Amino acid sequence: MRQTAFMGESLRGFLLSADQACRVTYLVIGLGIAFAGTGLATLFGGAVALASARKARKVTVPETAASLTEPRLNVKTEQ
């Protein structure tokens, strides 16, 4: 009787440990997918921001130092 009870408790412990490991695995997989999605969204947002900033303003290098004192001479906006 004692051996049967011991084996039953051992089996129960093993099954609970396996279930817990399975749940932790799903949690880690879910977190990995969430972080990958956040990274892709951030990368996409940065690419869109860079593309729109590059398209909106073009900066030219002035030919003389005197032209630097004139306001907004070296920034051209496209329309």
Side-chain angles (χ1 to χ4, degrees):
M1 188 76 156
R2 184 187 303 173
Q3 185 178 7
T4 303
F6 176 74
M7 290 180 71
E9 288 295 317
S10 297
L11 180 61
R12 181 178 179 271
F14 292 146
L15 290 174
L16 287 175
S17 296
D19 181 58
Q20 183 181 15
C22 185
R23 289 176 191 252
V24 169
T25 302
Y26 286 140
L27 175 69
V28 170
I29 289 171
L31 286 173
I33 290 171
F35 282 128
T38 303
L40 286 174
T42 303
L43 185 64
F44 179 73
V48 168
L50 284 175
S52 64
R54 190 171 192 200
K55 195 175 199 180
R57 288 180 38 160
K58 292 202 177 209
V59 177
T60 59
V61 178
E63 294 181 14
T64 64
S67 64
L68 287 174
T69 59
E70 298 176 22
R72 298 187 55 88
L73 183 64
N74 64 340
V75 176
K76 294 180 182 178
T77 57
E78 290 184 17
Q79 296 172 343

